[in-house]
Amino acid sequence: VQLQACGGGLVQAGGSLRLSCAASGSIFSINAMGWYRQAPGKQRELVADITTGGTNYLDSVKGRFTISRDNAKNTVYLQMDSLKPEDTAVYYCNARLRRFMGSSEHVYWGQGTQVTVSS
């Protein structure tokens, strides 16, 4: 299983970026997908995730970021609007999935994508 993330870049404060992350390989079902971020010198934190039960957001991004998912494409998106310099970080996607019917769940991670917001 591979997760391929893309969409990062450099943007001015107030701007927007859209991240995407596609899961490929032998996948039976994906129960959750999400985005984390890690800024220099800080711990990795959950930004947003999406499950069959709904979505969950970090308080500081509520109202500015929107997570969505295309189940047919095994892809998760993160629309980031009104970006702030404090959103600067490496963003990682992950997926909690089953590779085969009856197998246990495992979490897979994509490579990071850099998001830099200039003031």
Side-chain angles (χ1 to χ4, degrees), residues 9-15 83-85 88 115-119:
L10 172 64
V11 65
Q12 288 188 331
L83 281 160
K84 303 176 180 180
T88 295
V115 172
T116 303
V117 185
S118 63
S119 57

Side-chain angles (χ1 to χ4, degrees), residues 33-35 48-50 55 57 65-69 76-78:
M33 300 187 82
W35 290 94
D49 64 13
I50 182 167
T55 57
Y57 293 93
F65 291 10
T66 303
I67 189 169
S68 61
R69 180 175 159 183
V76 64
Y77 305 95
L78 186 68

